Every structure is written in C-alpha cells, then in structure tokens.
Amino acid sequence: MGRTYLVEEGIGQYLTELSTKVKPYVTGLLIGQCSPQRDYVIRAVRTPPKEQQQEDSVGPPKLTSLDEEWITTHASQVSRMLPGGLLVLGVFMIATPELAKDGQNALRKLIFSVEKSLSKRRLWKPAEEEVSDRAALQICSATKKVVCRTYDVQDPKSSAKPADWKYQSALTASWIALGCTVNVNIHIPLLATSPNHDLEKNTKNGLNRWSKQIEDSVFLINGQVKDEDTELLEGQKKFRGNTQPSTQFSDVKVLTQLCQGTSARSTATVQVCSGSINLRGAVKCRAYIHSNKPKVKEAIQALKRDIINTLSDRCEILFEDLILNEGPQKKNFGREYHVLPQRLFVPVAGSIVMLCDYKFGDEAAGEIQERFVEMLDQPVQAEDMHIAEDISTGKYLKPRAGWVRG
C-alpha cells in the first residue's frame, strides 16, 4: 500500500491552469507536511522561468534540457520561506504526451537533487522514524491524467511506489499553530591559528553547536511539560465539521540548559583567539501541525526546526548580501555591526498557515512582493505583510587578542 497525499482543493485548479500554458513542459515544487499516517500538500509552486529560456528553445523539446541547478536553487529559496512543519514534499511536472515517457526518470532525478541540496543546508538530522518518501507528480497536458509516485530519498537505489492523490477542501482550516520567542546570545570565537577567517564557515560551526543546545531544550506548551507520545490536543474540545479557518494557537516557552549535567564529563581547553562573532537578539518562531491526532513530539520537532532554520537562514542571507555589496575578497575586518534581516509573515488565503520571508531595513515592500510572486507564484498585498519582531543584531567583533575556554 502506497502513501496517501491529501491535497488542498485549490491546487487542482492551479495545476489545471498551468497545463493550459505548457510549452512543452513545466516543473514545480510541492509544499506541505509529512505525518506517519498520510502527507498533506498545501501548495504547488511552478519553477520560475529563466529569461534566456525562450531563446534556448530551438529544435524539438527534450526533458534532458531540464535545468536541474535552477530547480534546486528555487527549492532552497522556497524552503527559507516555510515556517516549522512545512517542507518541500516533492516535485511535479506537466508535460505534453510526447515527453510523458521520460517524465518519471526526470522527476526521480529532480527529487534526489532537490533533497541533496536541501539537506546540505540543514543543521538538524532527520529522526530515524521520519517519513523519507517524496512525491513525483506527473500530469499530461493533453489528457489531464495524474500519476503520483514516491521515492525514498534515504535510499539512492529506491524505485517508484504508487501513491494516492486525493483533493480535499479546507485542508488546513483546523491545523494547530505554535509560536515562541527565543532570545539568542551566541558567542563564536575566531582562533588566532586561522590566518584567514572565513566568517560564514565559523558562523555555521557556531550555529551547529547552538542547534544541539536547542535540540536538548525543554519546551513548555501553554505552560506545561507534556509527554512527547501523548496527543497534542488531548483534553481539548474538537470542533467537527468546521471548514472556516479557526486558529488553535499554542504558546511555547523554550528552556535551554545553562550547563551540562553532572553525569557528563567536561573537558576544558584554552585557545588563543584573535576575534569573535556575537549573535544577539530575539527571534520569533512559528510552526504548524496537522489536526489528525498529532503527537506532542511532532509539534515540538516542527518548532525546534523552525528555531534552528530561521537563525541559520538569516545568517546565510546576510553573508549573501555582504558578498553582493562588498565582494568576497574583503580581508581587514575591524569592529563591525550588521543587522540580520527581520522575519515577516504573510497569510495563505483560506488557511491558518502563514508563509514567511526576511527583510532588511532598507528593503521596500515592493521587493518583498516581487519575491513572493517569483518564488511562490503568490501576489501579496503590502498590508498583509506582518513584521514579526524588532531589529536583531549579528555582531562581528575583532579585538587585538582574546582567550576562550570551551
């Protein structure tokens, strides 16, 4: 028995509209949530067209001309715009009948490329019991026939398995939202033995250590510590037959350990440092979870990953911005302050789920709106963009000398 995908009804109309514009094929991403029983698809997003694509289309069309790098880059950009609990669930392709026979091979290759690209950026490891199947959806532009198969991305030799693709209205209307604010104060030493400090690499190493602290934290849901294997909604009233979005929101507090337990042996080293990176501020985090008897551990895992992802993504965006504006060869760093981009949330029509993006202080609303159209194929009104937090600061400090104990 293959996996079942419950799909937001509006996606069917979106894919139908795309199929009328196919010349000769279009690809895109499937966004949603995995669960042990079934998976949920809440968005389908076409791959943005490249400017030179029309110029290159000379001769008979072939799927070998698929731009794998362009599609995986799009997936990486989209993954930054997803709050906790949501991920790129797979890829789709709408193609003419002439290209249909090569469609599954092309989709299989894309699924593994996308997963490889996304996993490189993660600072967390998937759980052993986690669903690792990803969807390959193929639609014929002429007959509108839909074929859904899955591949296990943890198995490079995985073969296709059939899957059910079922549309459902108001899919996320009763989903649960979780939110928290995490105060960040991360100190990352720069060793004097390193002649050329790679700030991005050092920052990622520091975030890796911090992410383990988040993984080991205690999460209070509405002021309570709950057993991870209990149902998240245990003891709460359920509203049946509700098709209107009605937010069930859980406030979460994150308690991080200040030091190791007495049972763990600690070793100390002394290293000479020539500088340090400090990340300080408060970040707003958010996760969404399905309402089909979700476990506490599913909700906590989704929020943990959002905490880790949002800080890591902001640092990536900052370094990309620095390279763009200052060039990669800048060597003489003195004392510098950089403001990490702020997080903003945008609602999805007919859903409690909100997608996100990041905004530098000098960015205009129009730039954010253009990014949502390009990356998510979603028009956004300026008044619908909700900035979640005050300005946070990522600080790079280079004193003349320093010591660190670790």
Side-chain angles (χ1 to χ4, degrees):
M1 185 69 181
R3 293 196 67 77
T4 295
Y5 288 88
L6 297 183
V7 187
E8 178 59 51
E9 203 169 43
I11 291 175
Q13 183 180 349
Y14 176 77
L15 294 174
T16 299
E17 288 175 359
L18 279 182
S19 70
T20 63
K21 305 171 186 174
V22 167
K23 292 181 181 179
Y25 63 83
V26 64
T27 60
L29 306 173
L30 301 172
I31 296 166
Q33 184 169 109
C34 293
S35 80
Q37 294 82 19
R38 58 182 67 89
D39 296 337
Y40 305 87
V41 182
I42 71 165
R43 296 276 301 180
V45 183
R46 64 160 176 76
T47 306
K50 291 182 80 171
E51 289 180 4
Q52 70 268 33
Q53 208 162 301
Q54 292 80 9
E55 300 169 17
D56 295 345
S57 56
V58 179
K62 295 181 182 178
L63 289 181
T64 51
S65 64
L66 270 174
D67 193 332
E68 199 174 309
E69 185 181 358
W70 181 255
I71 294 167
T72 55
T73 299
H74 177 228
S76 295
Q77 295 289 329
V78 166
S79 69
R80 288 176 176 174
M81 305 173 84
L82 305 179
L86 298 185
L87 73 158
V88 176
L89 276 182
V91 292
F92 72 82
M93 177 186 293
I94 305 171
T96 56
E98 298 79 31
L99 299 176
K101 63 178 181 178
D102 299 321
Q104 277 300 315
N105 286 336
L107 284 170
R108 185 188 191 281
K109 190 177 179 184
L110 284 177
I111 279 176
F112 281 92
S113 296
V114 165
E115 185 62 25
K116 183 179 179 181
S117 173
L118 295 178
S119 61
K120 277 183 182 177
R121 299 177 54 247
R122 293 179 189 139
L123 298 184
W124 45 267
K125 292 182 180 178
E128 284 185 16
E129 71 277 8
E130 200 157 334
V131 175
S132 55
D133 285 350
R134 295 293 180 265
L137 184 74
Q138 186 175 353
I139 301 174
C140 176
S141 60
T143 64
K144 311 304 180 193
K145 181 182 177 183
V146 175
V147 177
C148 184
R149 296 188 175 98
T150 62
Y151 295 91
D152 183 352
V153 290
Q154 296 299 322
D155 178 9
K157 297 179 181 179
S158 170
S159 56
K161 290 179 283 189
D164 288 333
W165 183 264
K166 297 181 178 179
Y167 289 109
Q168 183 176 315
S169 62
L171 184 66
T172 60
S174 59
W175 278 25
I176 305 126
L178 301 98
C180 68
T181 301
V182 177
N183 291 306
V184 174
N185 188 1
I186 304 171
H187 180 80
I188 305 167
L190 301 174
L191 301 182
T193 52
S194 302
N196 294 317
H197 294 310
D198 185 330
L199 295 187
E200 189 167 5
K201 184 178 179 181
N202 278 289
T203 299
K204 189 162 187 176
N205 289 341
L207 288 175
N208 253 315
R209 293 189 291 270
W210 170 78
S211 70
K212 291 176 176 62
Q213 191 180 20
I214 295 298
E215 292 280 8
D216 295 336
S217 297
V218 175
F219 283 65
L220 303 180
I221 300 176
N222 294 327
Q224 296 179 315
V225 176
K226 297 189 175 186
D227 187 286
E228 287 198 340
D229 289 319
T230 60
E231 286 187 25
L232 182 64
L233 298 175
E234 194 174 85
Q236 296 184 30
K237 290 183 180 179
K238 294 184 180 179
F239 300 94
R240 297 188 181 276
N242 181 28
T243 59
Q244 295 301 313
S246 56
T247 307
Q248 297 183 67
F249 185 83
S250 294
D251 182 58
V252 180
K253 303 293 183 192
V254 182
L255 308 179
T256 54
Q257 294 183 353
L258 295 177
C259 59
Q260 292 178 322
T262 53
S263 59
R265 184 175 177 180
S266 175
T267 56
T269 58
V270 179
Q271 296 173 302
V272 179
C273 295
S274 58
S276 65
I277 299 167
N278 293 287
L279 294 168
R280 293 176 185 156
V283 293
K284 294 280 187 183
C285 305
R286 193 171 294 186
Y288 297 92
I289 202 81
H290 63 87
S291 53
N292 182 39
K293 299 182 179 179
K295 299 286 188 184
V296 168
K297 64 182 175 184
E298 291 179 69
I300 290 177
Q301 182 190 77
L303 197 55
K304 279 181 180 179
R305 290 179 180 179
D306 191 60
I307 295 168
I308 295 167
N309 288 346
T310 187
L311 192 56
S312 174
D313 288 345
R314 289 179 220 227
C315 290
E316 270 188 10
I317 293 167
L318 175 64
F319 284 118
E320 287 169 4
D321 188 67
L322 289 176
I323 289 171
L324 194 66
N325 292 308
E326 299 177 4
Q329 304 302 323
K330 187 172 179 181
K331 299 268 181 161
N332 299 318
F333 285 99
R335 188 177 190 134
E336 292 188 8
Y337 293 87
H338 295 289
V339 177
L340 293 175
Q342 294 170 280
R343 194 177 201 181
L344 57 87
F345 289 96
V346 168
V348 174
S351 170
I352 70 152
V353 174
M354 300 183 85
L355 302 174
C356 69
D357 198 10
Y358 297 95
K359 176 185 180 297
F360 285 105
D362 58 353
E363 272 190 286
E367 295 177 74
I368 309 295
Q369 290 169 301
E370 285 175 12
R371 197 150 56 235
F372 267 89
V373 170
E374 183 182 14
M375 293 297 155
L376 294 173
D377 207 9
Q378 175 179 328
V380 172
Q381 300 301 316
E383 57 268 24
D384 289 334
M385 296 189 294
H386 307 285
I387 294 180
E389 58 212 1
D390 297 326
I391 291 174
S392 300
T393 302
K395 181 175 77 169
Y396 169 67
L397 169 64
K398 184 178 180 183
R400 292 176 62 187
W403 297 83
V404 62
R405 289 182 183 271

